[in-house]
Amino acid sequence: MNLQRAMAKYLTDNIPGLYAFKDEIAFVSAGNPYPCFLVDLVSTRKRNLGTGLWDTTIDNNGDSAIQVKVTKLHQVLRFTIRAMNTSDKNGNEVVVEICDRLDESLSDLCREGSVDLVDPASGESVHIERVVFQGRSDLAPIEKGMPFVYQQSLSYLFVEHRFKTAQVENRIETIKRSL
């Protein structure tokens, strides 16, 4: 959920006038504002880097240590962009323009290296190593009521590294076993 919120904030900051929602319920409760996008987690895969155990680093005087564990997450997010007709543009044109801007923003996100985004709800940092385009799909317009709502979806793979640290106050000694 951290990645979804951080990406929604990043995209709404970079594309003015665009609303982001986590699901249909949040969209309806906000009064159905357009243009908008919904963020869905399609798949996730988690791998521990290294042995999967805590790596321990002892400071110079040997009194304390910091344990570090790094986890690599592969998450595929789908962004479903929706828009209606405006007075000067067809809703489908609006959706295509927003998709192009969203694609440009995400393609440039990790161009210079990894990026740290902030989850607005928790304040935690989300460390994104890479963004990989997965696909773009035209979806049928939503025909309930008038006017029609046009939509497209974009999918991206996000490679995220999560770092967990713990302070160990006791002195750690290596016990050697003789055979």
Side-chain angles (χ1 to χ4, degrees):
M1 198 62 162
N2 294 346
L3 177 64
Q4 291 170 285
R5 288 189 299 250
M7 288 311 306
K9 171 122 176 59
Y10 172 77
L11 291 172
T12 54
D13 288 347
N14 286 329
I15 304 172
L18 185 64
Y19 299 96
F21 299 101
K22 64 179 181 175
D23 56 21
E24 291 283 342
I25 296 170
F27 170 69
V28 171
S29 67
N32 303 336
Y34 290 103
C36 69
F37 68 91
L38 303 175
V39 182
D40 296 314
L41 178 64
V42 176
S43 69
T44 185
R45 189 179 81 193
K46 179 177 164 181
R47 269 187 20 208
N48 291 325
L49 296 182
T51 62
L53 303 173
W54 290 88
D55 296 326
T56 305
T57 305
I58 300 173
D59 66 358
N60 291 338
N61 58 12
D63 292 335
S64 67
I66 298 175
Q67 291 183 323
V68 178
K69 186 174 185 179
V70 180
T71 305
K72 185 177 193 178
L73 289 162
H74 287 208
Q75 298 180 57
V76 176
L77 296 182
R78 180 179 52 228
F79 303 97
T80 304
I81 296 88
R82 295 179 175 172
M84 294 187 327
N85 293 336
T86 62
S87 59
D88 56 340
K89 283 189 183 176
N90 182 320
N92 201 32
E93 292 175 9
V94 174
V95 167
V96 168
E97 286 177 7
I98 292 172
C99 284
D100 291 342
R101 291 175 65 190
L102 191 140
D103 186 35
E104 183 181 315
S105 294
L106 292 177
S107 296
D108 290 340
L109 183 64
C110 292
R111 189 172 302 275
E112 301 294 323
S114 62
V115 181
D116 288 323
L117 299 177
V118 176
D119 175 11
S122 66
E124 295 177 6
S125 179
V126 177
H127 186 75
I128 300 172
E129 287 290 318
R130 195 171 59 204
V131 178
V132 180
F133 176 75
Q134 297 292 299
R136 184 172 181 165
S137 302
D138 287 329
L139 302 174
I142 300 172
E143 298 177 359
K144 292 187 255 178
M146 282 294 191
F148 294 152
V149 176
Y150 297 92
Q151 54 185 0
Q152 279 190 8
S153 70
L154 296 166
S155 298
Y156 289 88
L157 167 70
F158 293 90
V159 179
E160 177 188 350
H161 285 176
R162 290 190 181 166
F163 300 93
K164 293 182 183 179
T165 59
Q167 187 73 25
V168 179
E169 295 299 327
N170 298 335
R171 183 180 174 134
I172 297 175
E173 296 181 18
T174 306
I175 300 172
K176 295 184 180 180
R177 209 170 130 185
S178 59
L179 299 173

